[in-house]
Amino acid sequence: MQLATGIKSKIVLHIRNGNQEKKADAIACEEPLEIKLAFGPAGQREHRSLAITMRTPGQDEVLALGFLFTEGIIGRATEVTGIRHVGQALSPESAENILLVELSPDTPVDFEQLNRHFYTSSSCGVCGKASIEMLRTVNLYYPQQGFPVFSLSQILSFQQQMSGKQNLFDQTGGIHAAASFDENGKLLFLQEDVGRHNAMDKLIGQTLRFGQFPMRNQAIMVSGRLSFELVQKAAMAGVPLLAAVGAPSSLAVELAESHGMTLIGFLRGKRFNVYCGQERVKL
């Protein structure tokens, strides 16, 4: 079977019912990506390293777009004039791992004001930020009050629509997903990554690239649990409804309430919990 980008094959020992067999297994890739910025007026351009994130290779450009947006560095796709890989990977069979993002000459970047160390891992998208309070203060868009409204059948269809598109998860079982849906509940985009925050950044970056922004008439569903940083990223994009297969944290609920979002957890089969913003759920 042809392995997709972002998947490696390894011979492992399978033990089933006391029987053992060595056979190939598909494993989700996790590799570092360094994001560098080129910015400043013509003739005075600077190149600075911004962040290193552990990600699943593939869709690196939309990952960078989404990351720059959710970190408050850009507010629209037109502020980025080019993205390209400029470095070689750690091993020959891996993808390139240094990405240079060219910002327009009039896009301001103040590394001192950022006041944070941008190191993230595949398990935590908030690692390295100076404080939670800084996250609270960076916001570009807010959801529209009470709009849109989704029916029960539309919300219950989210997971089913996602399951047919999660190619990396189907092959490895070790990958997160984030998907967007229009106001009629139809799937628009889906992105996968070993990091839940990377999957969200890829989704937001793809939406930016295709001009369907802000996301005030869309819903997002993610695999796994609902963490603070996922709510923050969705709120910055103006997302009115955020749902997940798993549970939200207390801080995630508090942030969603403060941003006027609808937050749904434990969306599985024919059930879910609405933690806030029930006015967008048509009962």
Side-chain angles (χ1 to χ4, degrees):
M1 179 177 63
Q2 182 70 31
L3 293 178
T5 301
I7 296 178
K8 290 183 178 180
S9 180
K10 180 175 176 57
I11 301 298
V12 302
L13 179 63
H14 284 239
I15 299 176
R16 305 288 186 273
N17 300 318
N19 299 316
Q20 52 182 286
E21 177 187 9
K22 287 189 175 182
K23 56 189 297 187
D25 192 29
I27 302 174
C29 295
E30 182 176 26
E31 296 182 0
L33 176 70
E34 181 180 5
I35 299 175
K36 291 186 173 184
L37 290 185
F39 61 96
Q44 301 178 39
R45 301 287 283 175
E46 293 186 50
H47 285 208
R48 295 277 295 272
S49 179
L50 177 68
I52 296 175
T53 184
M54 301 302 295
R55 97 302 189 193
T56 299
Q59 301 294 313
D60 286 345
E61 292 186 5
V62 292
L63 170 59
L65 274 178
F67 179 79
L68 293 178
F69 175 82
T70 58
E71 293 299 336
I73 296 170
I74 64 170
R76 55 189 184 275
T78 54
E79 293 179 279
V80 174
T81 59
I83 306 177
R84 67 183 189 277
H85 287 94
V86 295
Q88 295 300 314
L90 301 177
S91 55
E93 67 274 10
S94 300
E96 294 173 324
N97 70 332
I98 301 177
L99 197 67
L100 180 65
V101 181
E102 294 272 359
L103 299 183
S104 62
D106 57 349
T107 299
V109 177
D110 189 335
F111 273 82
E112 297 303 321
Q113 276 196 339
L114 289 176
N115 190 29
R116 65 183 76 176
H117 172 53
F118 281 110
Y119 181 81
T120 61
S121 73
S122 62
S123 61
C124 176
V126 185
C127 298
K129 292 183 172 67
S131 70
I132 287 179
E133 287 306 311
M134 181 177 289
L135 281 176
R136 292 186 185 276
T137 61
V138 179
N139 208 99
L140 296 177
Y141 301 101
Y142 281 91
Q144 299 178 76
Q145 186 174 0
F147 178 84
V149 175
F150 294 90
S151 69
L152 291 178
S153 61
Q154 288 172 339
I155 294 171
L156 292 172
S157 74
F158 289 172
Q159 186 182 23
Q160 183 179 8
Q161 292 184 68
M162 289 177 66
S163 64
K165 302 291 185 179
Q166 293 176 246
N167 298 326
L168 297 184
F169 178 82
D170 290 342
Q171 294 188 57
T172 67
I175 209 90
H176 286 285
S180 59
F181 302 84
D182 66 18
E183 58 195 79
N184 297 313
K186 181 181 178 181
L187 189 145
L188 295 172
F189 302 121
L190 183 143
Q191 290 289 343
E192 295 181 280
D193 199 277
V194 288
R196 71 188 76 216
H197 59 285
N198 285 341
M200 179 69 84
D201 280 341
K202 286 180 178 180
L203 180 68
I204 291 174
Q206 185 176 20
T207 307
L208 269 169
R209 169 165 282 184
F210 282 91
Q212 299 191 18
F213 216 81
M215 303 172 72
R216 289 194 175 115
N217 63 339
Q218 300 175 35
I220 287 181
M221 181 168 176
V222 299
S223 61
R225 63 183 180 86
L226 276 171
S227 56
F228 172 88
E229 75 268 21
L230 292 184
V231 175
Q232 172 68 22
K233 290 175 185 293
M236 289 184 67
V239 175
L241 187 150
L242 179 59
V245 174
S249 68
S250 62
L251 199 58
V253 176
E254 291 171 16
L255 187 65
E257 285 183 311
S258 70
H259 284 270
M261 295 173 62
T262 299
L263 202 65
I264 291 176
F266 295 109
L267 178 49
R268 308 172 187 172
K270 295 184 178 181
R271 66 183 180 92
F272 58 85
N273 295 344
V274 182
Y275 290 86
C276 59
Q278 70 177 45
E279 67 274 7
R280 293 193 184 88
V281 180
K282 185 178 180 181
L283 300 176

